[in-house]
Every structure is written in C-alpha cells, then in structure tokens.
Amino acid sequence: MTDSNPSPPAADEISPACSRIKSNLAAVHERIAGACRLAGRDPAEVRLVAVTKYVDAATTAATRQAGCLDLAESRPQAIWEKAAALAEAPVRWHLIGHLQRNKIRRTLPLLGVLHSLDSLRLLAAVEAEADPTEIACCDVLVEVNLTDDPGRSGAVIADVPALVAAAAAARGVRLVGLMGMAGHPDAAAADARRDFARLRLLRDELTRSLPTPDLLRELSMGMSGDFEAAILEGATIVRIGSALFEGLG
Ligand SMILES: *Cc1c(COP(=O)(O)O)cnc(C)c1O
C-alpha cells in the first residue's frame, strides 16, 4: 500500500526558493567584500537591504528565511500586506519609495527605516503623526534627487540643506543619513560613481553645519547594477533587489 498522506515538510526545511536566494545572497556578499577591499573599508560597515518589491509574500518570507532581516519595499501598501504575512518573523522594514501623506498613520508604526523623506510637507506630516511617547519613531534618510531631473524622486539638491536642518531638529524622527540613486540605470559605472560621489560630498558639507556629525552617518546608495561603485564612494546601506532573485522560477 502506498501512503496517500505524505508527511508535511519539516518546519525548518529549506525551500528551493530559499536556497536559491541564499546562494545569490552569498554571491552579492562576496562582491560587497570585494568592493570593500578595493575601497579599504570594513565590510561590516555596509548593510545589505533586500528589496522584495518584485516578489510575492511567500518569496519574501523565503528571503527572510535566507537570512535577510532588513527588507525594503517601494509601496507602503506592500509593507502593510507583507508585515502582516511575516508577522512571526522579526523583520526591519524599509520604505524606499514615496510615502503619501494619507498613508503615514498606517505605515509609520511598521517602519524601521524611511529612506524617502523628500519634502518639508512630508516631514511636518510625519511629525504630526509620530507617537509623542516615543523618543523617535523610526530612522529617516533624506532622499536626494542627484540629477535634478524633475521626473525623478527625491528633494532637489537646492532644497536639501533646509530639509536636513528641519529633520535634524524635528521631534519624533531620527535623522540618520541621505539616500540617492544614480542617474541612469544603464549608464556607465563611472557615471554612477560620479553621482554617488556627489551624495557623499553633499553629506560631508552638510555635516559641518549640524550639531552632531552622526546625524548623516548613513549613505543609502547602490542597487543591483551599481552597488560596487556606491561602496567605493562610501555607501553604508545598499538596496539590492534583482540580484537576489536571479534564477527563481
Ligand atoms: C527597486 C529599487 C531598488 C532595487 O533595485 P535592483 O536594481 O533590483 O537591485 C533599490 N532602490 C530603490 C529606490 C528601488 O526602487
């Protein structure tokens, strides 16, 4: 007789998706280590944030199981859904896309890091929602539009000093750094590197005007196609999506 009830998978069994993500993750970590060697930096200074915007909740759970505790989404709604689906696992959620003001109340309590503070209006709205009993709601990075192209996200460079000063003084947010994207995803590595250098120089310049230098210690820059250039220019957070999901069905 054959058993028509195969035993359920053991709770700690690794799914094919998880093992694929694990090996992709190992390859990315190796490249991070290589870029750090070139830059004379300690790889422990560079945190990998896994961007799960392309994959469903099950694959996001597999990403968490593969060892990524820092997960990022572009849309607040995706964080609402996935935070509920992954409620059992400790996850630090990063929002890397625009936060509409009408979504602040529901999103803020779920967030570990907001990478996309892009206007004084958004800052005021976040401050108004932040829990007054908390010292600070979440870590916040000011998103900079490095190319000043109006079609791209982030505050234009001319507006960044005032936004950084306001965020540094704001109650209920903990300013930790700047975020930016290189101009063109397909551009030469040299172009990306020049954009990342611009963010680092802006950070260094603004830091001189701040009461404490560590308010801009984080530089969130670099994606699958350009994270090595970003590390050479001082990235402390790289946001990696597609490179982690290569080869998944
Ligand atoms: C999608 C996205 C990423 C990840 O991009 P990949 O090229 O897939 O690694 C990083 N940062 C932001 C802001 C994104 O929107």
Side-chain angles (χ1 to χ4, degrees):
M1 268 181 68
T2 55
D3 186 357
S4 58
N5 283 325
S7 52
D12 59 355
E13 196 170 296
I14 300 282
S15 68
C18 179
S19 61
R20 181 74 212 204
I21 295 164
K22 266 191 166 171
S23 67
N24 289 342
L25 185 62
V28 171
H29 275 303
E30 222 162 87
R31 288 171 58 191
I32 290 174
C36 284
R37 257 193 311 278
L38 267 181
R41 301 182 58 200
D42 177 354
E45 291 171 15
V46 180
R47 190 194 321 164
L48 184 151
V49 171
V51 178
T52 49
K53 67 185 182 191
Y54 311 107
V55 299
D56 62 13
T59 305
T60 301
T63 308
R64 171 64 190 79
Q65 204 189 357
C68 296
L69 280 77
D70 286 283
L71 302 180
E73 290 287 335
S74 295
R75 295 182 313 116
Q77 301 96 309
I79 293 183
W80 303 348
E81 288 159 24
K82 290 180 175 179
L86 274 71
E88 302 303 310
V91 169
R92 197 156 114 110
W93 286 103
H94 298 244
L95 182 65
I96 58 176
H98 185 62
L99 178 57
Q100 298 84 358
R101 285 178 301 151
N102 64 359
K103 301 202 172 69
I104 292 173
R105 179 166 299 170
R106 184 156 173 200
T107 308
L108 271 191
L110 301 173
L111 282 189
V113 186
L114 173 65
H115 290 239
S116 48
L117 179 65
D118 55 6
S119 71
L120 288 167
R121 238 160 65 113
L122 177 60
L123 176 63
V126 166
E127 256 195 296
E129 283 298 338
D131 183 344
T133 64
E134 296 274 322
I135 304 293
C137 74
C138 64
D139 289 354
V140 169
L141 294 93
V142 168
E143 182 181 356
V144 181
N145 178 346
L146 289 171
T147 60
D148 278 346
D149 172 346
R152 293 174 58 94
S153 58
V156 294
I157 288 174
D159 291 345
V160 171
L163 185 51
V164 162
R171 297 160 61 89
V173 306
R174 192 187 308 123
L175 179 65
V176 298
L178 301 179
M179 186 270 244
M181 280 181 273
H184 302 282
D186 303 322
D191 292 341
R193 190 165 171 181
R194 194 193 48 217
D195 289 336
F196 296 139
R198 187 172 299 134
L199 193 64
R200 176 175 49 79
L201 291 169
L202 181 63
R203 188 274 303 272
D204 294 347
E205 188 185 311
L206 291 172
T207 292
R208 285 192 281 276
S209 68
L210 289 171
T212 45
D214 67 336
L215 290 178
L216 295 178
R217 64 185 175 277
E218 305 283 358
L219 284 176
S220 167
M221 56 189 195
M223 328 198 323
S224 294
D226 56 21
F227 67 86
E228 283 140 321
I231 288 169
L232 291 175
E233 292 300 338
T236 62
I237 300 174
V238 292
R239 308 176 309 268
I240 308 296
S242 37
L244 295 183
F245 303 108
E246 271 166 22
L248 282 190

